[in-house]
Amino acid sequence: MRKILVASCCLFISSLYAQEHFSGINTTRRTGILNASVNPAELSNLSNRFEVNIFNTSANVSNNKISFKDIVNGGNLEDKIFEGDKAVNMRLDAEILGPSFAMKHDKWAFAVTSSAKIKANLIDVDVNLANAVRNSFIGSSMIALDHNQRVNALTWGEIGFSASRIVFEDHQHKFSGGATLKLLFPGSYANIAADKFSGTVTNVVGDVELTNAHAALNVSYSGALADGFTDSSNFNQFFGNGIHGYAVDLGVNYQWKEQDDSGYKINAGLAVRNIGSMTFKADNNVSRNYSLSVEGLQSFDLNQFEGVDNVKEIEQILINSGYVTIDNTTKDFKVKMPTLISAYADVHVHNKWYVTAYMQQKVVDDTKNDLATAQNVVTITPRFSAQDYEIYSPWSSNEISGITGGIGFRLGGFYLGSGSIVTALLSNTKQADAYLGFRIGF
């Protein structure tokens, strides 16, 4: 168990990259497939008749404990993660947009896209319980939590089919609607959760015991992540298990045009994304709910988790302890997608200057065991945007890590950026990110 906590933290630290993918470039006036990933109705605004995505990737992490300066200054980052009283929250979110194609014809536009997704999370993990498992404190601590804490990771692939149509257009206004149907390919999954945990952890000269404890536990796994979080190759499963889920994006778009039809004064949109779920069906699938009860003079030896690096071993230790009872077992289990609402407005200020306001609001509860995570984000992006190039600076307020600021640029079809490099270098930010990509329009 300790290895899983440590490996998860190392994964976040070594990847320490924000939570909104392609921040700044995904609302550019050079409209393409990236814009359609935020709102499928944007396909009606394609800057070119055809677009081909060659390669796009974004890797993100938000956390509420470690700052960029902590990494630069060195020291024991694992200890910093679990110091203080605040529960640990970290979100790793990586995305690779593979070969994709879009085209427009008359009032219609269409796209076929492919992508691979990775999520790994520490959600409301209690520092006292984590330090007990890590055997990193001496003494006794009473824990009484009213929430569900999780260590969670999953991978999957997507193939999307998008369509958009101009509903109304005249010399001044343009309204469009669009939808994307996503075919979901579950890859691998692991979830360890303890809901409403209460108990006392005591460490006497390295002997760590749990007494007077109660919790509702969930242990779920599928595919390679059942073998642990410590091997990065366990996060490489995407399309191999077939189509076992569907999701839908729905969106609308409005443009208030310039009088000379050279562009727009305002481009605004609203979308609901990731409505759906996927079912994991690997040969090693299991999802079990347990009740933990350690009462009276009983004590649970937490040292047993030393050196354990996979979910199946943790489950076996729990069963062998005699302190858990199985409530229910499911072989194939469903994981809901991280449904969220996106809203934005890109305003033409003057000449080649634009400002974009973007909001992302999740409509799901991250503490649920059968759910992929999302994060609330608000971003303001001023940009200088010419036809063949642009430079922009996104500034965000993130649910987990707070305020971040970054910079990016586009040259033709190539772009490179970060939503937090500025604050990473200048302040005590707890987030950083990087993305790049190349696409061709003709």
Side-chain angles (χ1 to χ4, degrees):
M1 181 65 171
R2 177 182 178 180
K3 281 190 176 182
I4 286 182
L5 286 172
V6 175
S8 299
C9 295
C10 290
L11 176 65
F12 289 120
I13 296 166
S14 62
S15 305
L16 200 59
Y17 299 106
Q19 192 65 2
E20 177 199 344
H21 284 299
F22 306 105
S23 180
I25 194 66
N26 58 4
T27 52
T28 174
R29 76 184 184 99
R30 192 279 190 199
T31 307
I33 292 175
L34 275 181
N35 303 67
S37 69
V38 174
N39 181 356
E42 283 286 354
L43 284 174
S44 294
N45 303 325
L46 281 175
S47 296
N48 300 283
R49 184 178 179 186
F50 302 99
E51 176 162 295
V52 177
N53 261 10
I54 306 301
F55 181 77
N56 309 267
T57 184
S58 172
N60 311 335
V61 133
S62 296
N63 83 99
N64 65 339
K65 291 284 186 172
I66 304 172
S67 70
F68 186 79
K69 289 183 179 180
D70 290 330
I71 298 174
V72 173
N73 293 335
N76 192 324
L77 297 179
E78 182 188 341
D79 287 343
K80 287 184 177 294
I81 293 172
F82 297 109
E83 69 182 10
D85 297 322
K86 184 183 297 185
V88 180
N89 278 285
M90 291 187 173
R91 305 287 192 273
L92 170 75
D93 198 332
E95 181 172 313
I96 300 171
L97 300 182
S100 304
F101 173 77
M103 63 169 290
K104 63 181 179 180
H105 178 70
D106 293 332
K107 294 184 177 182
W108 285 95
F110 304 92
V112 179
T113 58
S114 63
S115 60
K117 310 291 183 70
I118 298 173
K119 289 182 180 288
N121 311 283
L122 300 179
I123 303 171
D124 292 330
V125 174
D126 181 73
V127 293
N128 293 313
L129 181 58
N131 285 325
V133 174
R134 295 170 56 234
N135 200 350
S136 65
F137 82 100
I138 301 297
S140 181
S141 178
M142 295 182 62
I143 303 171
L145 307 176
D146 61 358
H147 62 264
N148 188 29
Q149 52 185 321
R150 304 169 63 198
V151 179
N152 169 268
L154 71 158
T155 67
W156 76 95
E158 294 182 0
I159 294 179
F161 299 91
S162 303
S164 177
R165 179 178 169 81
I166 299 172
V167 179
F168 171 83
E169 184 176 21
D170 61 15
H171 69 283
Q172 191 171 13
H173 305 286
K174 178 180 176 182
F175 293 89
S176 304
T180 297
L181 172 64
K182 302 176 184 178
L183 308 182
L184 305 180
F185 298 75
S188 54
Y189 182 85
N191 188 74
I192 308 170
D195 189 19
K196 294 181 174 59
F197 182 94
S198 64
T200 300
V201 290
T202 304
N203 187 337
V204 180
V205 197
D207 293 328
V208 186
E209 302 286 342
L210 175 65
T211 57
N212 300 317
H214 297 86
L217 308 179
N218 175 264
V219 179
S220 303
Y221 48 83
S222 177
L225 283 171
D227 299 322
F229 299 101
T230 57
D231 188 346
S232 60
S233 65
N234 291 341
F235 289 84
N236 292 341
Q237 288 187 336
F238 299 110
F239 291 94
N241 295 323
I243 302 170
H244 293 295
Y246 304 91
V248 174
D249 296 352
L250 302 172
V252 293
N253 175 261
Y254 165 72
Q255 283 192 354
W256 180 14
K257 297 181 181 181
E258 297 282 6
Q259 290 183 353
D260 59 1
D261 205 29
S262 62
Y264 55 77
K265 298 178 181 179
I266 296 177
N267 180 60
L270 177 68
V272 183
R273 297 153 53 195
N274 296 325
I275 306 170
S277 63
M278 54 188 164
T279 302
F280 285 84
K281 295 187 175 184
D283 293 337
N284 65 341
N285 258 35
V286 69
S287 178
R288 292 192 183 97
N289 292 322
Y290 296 91
S291 292
L292 171 70
S293 180
V294 184
E295 298 180 329
L297 299 177
Q298 297 174 331
S299 64
F300 188 178
D301 180 10
L302 296 184
N303 292 106
Q304 297 176 80
F305 294 109
E306 284 286 327
V308 176
D309 65 352
N310 68 64
V311 182
K312 290 185 288 187
E313 289 185 35
I314 291 173
E315 184 179 37
Q316 194 59 52
I317 291 172
L318 291 170
I319 294 172
N320 293 341
S321 72
Y323 297 128
V324 298
T325 56
I326 298 177
D327 293 333
N328 59 70
T329 301
T330 303
K331 177 171 173 53
D332 296 338
F333 56 88
K334 184 179 293 186
V335 175
K336 297 176 183 177
M337 296 293 286
T339 306
L340 52 86
I341 297 172
S342 297
Y344 58 89
D346 188 37
V347 179
H348 186 192
V349 180
H350 176 70
N351 200 2
K352 292 180 174 62
W353 290 97
Y354 294 76
V355 175
T356 306
Y358 172 86
M359 181 276 292
Q360 175 178 297
Q361 175 68 47
K362 63 186 178 184
V363 294
V364 294
D365 183 357
D366 284 350
T367 64
K368 300 294 184 182
N369 289 320
D370 61 348
L371 185 71
T373 60
Q375 185 179 169
N376 298 330
V377 180
V378 175
T379 302
I380 301 295
T381 306
R383 72 180 74 243
F384 182 84
S385 180
Q387 181 174 350
D388 296 324
Y389 68 92
E390 67 182 286
I391 186 169
Y392 51 89
S393 181
W395 290 82
S396 301
S397 174
N398 301 276
E399 179 183 4
I400 302 294
S401 57
I403 301 299
T404 60
I407 195 167
F409 74 91
R410 174 182 63 84
L411 182 61
F414 175 79
Y415 61 88
L416 174 68
S418 165
S420 56
I421 187 63
V422 174
T423 47
L425 295 174
L426 299 179
S427 70
N428 205 32
T429 184
K430 294 180 175 63
Q431 177 171 303
D433 72 276
Y435 59 80
L436 61 88
F438 181 69
R439 61 265 179 94
I440 300 172
F442 53 96

